[in-house]
Amino acid sequence: MKKINKIVLAYSGGLDTSVILSYLKEKYQAEVVTYTANLGQGESLTSVEEKAKRTGASKVYVEDVREEFSSNYVLPALQAGALYEGRYPLATALARPLITRKLIKVAEKEKAEAIAHGCSGKGNDQVRFEVTAKALNPEIMILAPVREWELKSREEEIEYARKHNIPVEVTEKAPYSIDRNLWGVSIECGILENPWEEPPSDAYQLTKSPEEAPDKPTYIEIEFKGGVPTGLDGESYKLVDLIEKLNRIGGENGVGRIDLIENRLVGIKSREIYEAPAAVILHLAHRELERLILDKDTLHFKELVSQRYSELVYDGLWESPLRKALDAFVRETQKELSGTVRIKLFKGSCEVVGRKSPYSLYDEKLATYTKEDIFDQKASKGFIHIWGLPLRTVAKARKKI
Ligand code: ARG
């Protein structure tokens, strides 16, 4: 085995990555540098630095990447309409390529030969980390201890931590596996593994249940400029702040819960619940503006792009040439996507109730059934005659046989 001197570990400060830190040091006799990204997971990251040091990290990186995450990953996915299997806004999947890019950067700066992650061998995230890492640096070595080590349960990990003097808070056994960032929360394991069971209320992290949400609707107006959400109720917002604000307003109204049986890349069907109020609201508002502004062919073609784009992101192919090419298409469609969408949030539902734009293709004079109508109804006769020609031709030809 090639000697490894330095490893950069994607570190969350939780039990798994703390044990991994110590395990890597022992197994490879290597220096371990940790990297932690603030992606809006809502936990205080000040203790992470201290924890990593106490667990034996030779150097600790903690970085606020929320801005970069929202402009370079979340925004393109929103504009592409990327919802995996029609529903999942891809919060976890979008964060992985960014974290990986950062790990590679730190590895190059620190002259580390390897990076390490704490993903299991059954999920999508291992694929996303590793495919992205090799796309950015084909020479880098990747270590995935959870796939190899003998620690089979949380109890065994706690035992390992005790033996190795790793500081772990002795908490109740966490009933769920949770991954969170500003674009959403992903929750699985425990009772949720039974797809017939309704998710218990303690599974949800940031949304109220529709039953507990206010009995009066909340109306909001979201403004877009060139496909970018820039305002809420007449006030300008930076994207990060807008997302955080919509998570609060949506969550308060019970909006953004998604209970999904999904197809993992490794062939397993799994059940995950998501909470993504801002993502649900923004996808709805953005799509609505496209309905108003884009011509029919572009709008319909973009649906195909959305589906493919969501698969690329989910499947760990963020760095692929195809994703970048699709981005170029999407960007072209967003040039005139400016306007305002009015949304009603009420006890878990989220509905568009109004839309307007200077670029709107909606022409009331064409659509109306009043005397303002300018549509030439007589011209429809000739149009229908020719539109139906292929079907009449078939009918006539078949009669001859
Ligand atoms: N199923 C989601 C995905 O593959 C989330 C995976 C992580 N979920 C979790 N609860 N840790 O993107």
Side-chain angles (χ1 to χ4, degrees):
M1 197 169 67
K2 206 178 126 203
K3 168 89 181 107
I4 300 172
N5 298 303
K6 220 189 240 189
I7 302 164
V8 182
L9 167 66
Y11 181 73
S12 73
L15 176 65
D16 285 346
T17 52
S18 297
V19 171
I20 290 170
L21 204 174
S22 162
Y23 171 92
L24 289 172
K25 277 186 70 177
E26 187 173 282
K27 174 160 181 192
Y28 296 97
Q29 297 293 308
E31 245 185 69
V32 177
V33 173
T34 61
Y35 179 84
T36 308
N38 174 3
L39 289 149
Q41 55 270 55
E43 290 156 12
S44 151
L45 293 179
T46 40
S47 60
V48 161
E49 180 165 353
E50 208 210 295
K51 216 167 170 186
K53 288 231 167 94
R54 275 201 288 151
T55 313
S58 65
K59 197 163 174 185
V60 175
Y61 286 81
V62 180
E63 202 181 355
D64 185 351
V65 298
R66 287 176 302 158
E67 202 104 356
E68 193 174 342
F69 181 50
S70 62
S71 352
N72 297 353
Y73 294 79
V74 168
L75 182 62
L78 170 67
Q79 294 182 333
L83 294 168
Y84 184 63
E85 297 188 336
R87 300 194 63 201
Y88 165 39
L90 295 161
T92 301
L94 285 164
R96 299 315 183 209
L98 171 57
I99 299 169
T100 310
R101 180 172 280 275
K102 298 294 180 180
L103 290 175
I104 295 291
K105 234 173 117 185
V106 173
E108 286 167 358
K109 185 169 158 227
E110 293 286 336
K111 302 202 180 2
E113 301 90 337
I115 61 168
H117 62 73
C119 307
S120 85
K122 292 181 74 174
N124 299 311
D125 286 332
Q126 52 172 345
V127 184
R128 296 169 185 150
F129 270 115
E130 297 183 28
V131 169
T132 306
K134 292 287 186 183
L136 298 173
N137 181 346
E139 311 305 327
I140 199 81
M141 283 178 71
I142 303 163
L143 308 172
V146 176
R147 273 199 312 238
E148 280 132 37
W149 67 21
E150 298 305 315
L151 304 173
K152 289 274 171 266
S153 65
R154 187 180 158 84
E155 288 66 36
E156 286 179 37
E157 284 187 41
I158 292 174
E159 186 54 32
Y160 182 101
R162 288 234 169 81
K163 275 199 193 131
H164 291 77
N165 286 324
I166 301 168
V168 289
E169 289 113 54
V170 195
T171 50
E172 286 280 298
K173 181 182 158 20
Y176 309 108
S177 156
I178 298 172
D179 180 66
R180 179 170 174 174
N181 63 48
L182 58 90
W183 201 227
V185 191
S186 309
I187 309 147
E188 60 181 352
C189 299
I191 184 90
L192 302 172
E193 285 177 358
N194 178 346
W196 181 246
E197 286 289 340
E198 179 174 354
S201 57
D202 74 341
Y204 292 105
Q205 310 296 307
L206 86 161
T207 55
K208 264 197 185 155
S209 76
E211 290 89 337
E212 284 163 21
D215 294 322
K216 267 204 275 171
T218 303
Y219 287 88
I220 53 173
E221 289 184 11
I222 301 174
E223 194 186 331
F224 287 82
K225 284 202 182 96
V228 183
T230 54
L232 176 68
D233 296 333
E235 256 184 72
S236 300
Y237 280 85
K238 278 201 316 206
L239 188 53
V240 171
D241 300 333
L242 182 65
I243 292 170
E244 285 175 350
K245 177 111 186 173
L246 287 175
N247 275 335
R248 276 198 298 281
I249 302 176
E252 195 58 30
N253 283 281
V255 166
R257 293 184 170 187
I258 299 159
D259 179 344
L260 185 65
I261 298 290
E262 71 191 43
N263 289 286
R264 278 194 203 160
L265 187 49
V266 293
I268 301 169
K269 273 197 197 288
S270 63
R271 196 262 195 112
E272 183 114 21
I273 58 173
Y274 299 101
E275 294 178 278
V280 165
I281 294 168
L282 287 173
H283 268 291
L284 183 75
H286 179 263
R287 187 67 183 151
E288 188 62 22
L289 216 51
E290 292 189 327
R291 290 181 202 283
L292 191 67
I293 295 168
L294 298 186
D295 64 282
K296 173 177 145 183
D297 279 344
T298 307
L299 184 79
H300 288 188
F301 189 77
K302 199 164 172 288
E303 275 170 30
L304 308 176
V305 171
S306 296
Q307 197 200 331
R308 196 67 192 91
Y309 197 100
S310 73
E311 289 167 357
L312 291 169
V313 175
Y314 189 88
D315 292 348
L317 299 173
W318 179 262
E319 293 295 338
S320 67
L322 179 56
R323 200 274 304 167
K324 290 171 193 171
L326 293 183
D327 257 347
F329 165 80
V330 171
R331 262 198 304 277
E332 178 65 28
T333 64
Q334 302 297 296
K335 288 184 174 158
E336 292 178 331
L337 215 82
S338 301
T340 307
V341 180
R342 198 149 68 95
I343 286 182
K344 178 181 179 178
L345 309 170
F346 183 57
K347 287 195 169 296
S349 84
C350 169
E351 274 175 274
V352 172
V353 291
R355 64 295 269 164
K356 63 179 180 185
S357 164
Y359 300 95
S360 169
L361 298 182
Y362 183 92
D363 186 340
E364 229 171 308
K365 289 209 170 74
L366 282 175
T368 186
Y369 284 97
T370 67
K371 64 179 186 339
E372 305 296 315
D373 187 15
I374 56 163
F375 185 83
D376 179 2
Q377 300 201 23
K378 287 193 191 84
S380 286
K381 189 177 173 191
F383 166 74
I384 295 166
H385 185 71
I386 292 177
W387 180 247
L389 178 59
L391 300 196
R392 290 203 309 280
T393 308
V394 172
K396 278 185 191 156
R398 295 289 173 271
K399 255 185 210 151
K400 276 188 213 142
I401 305 166

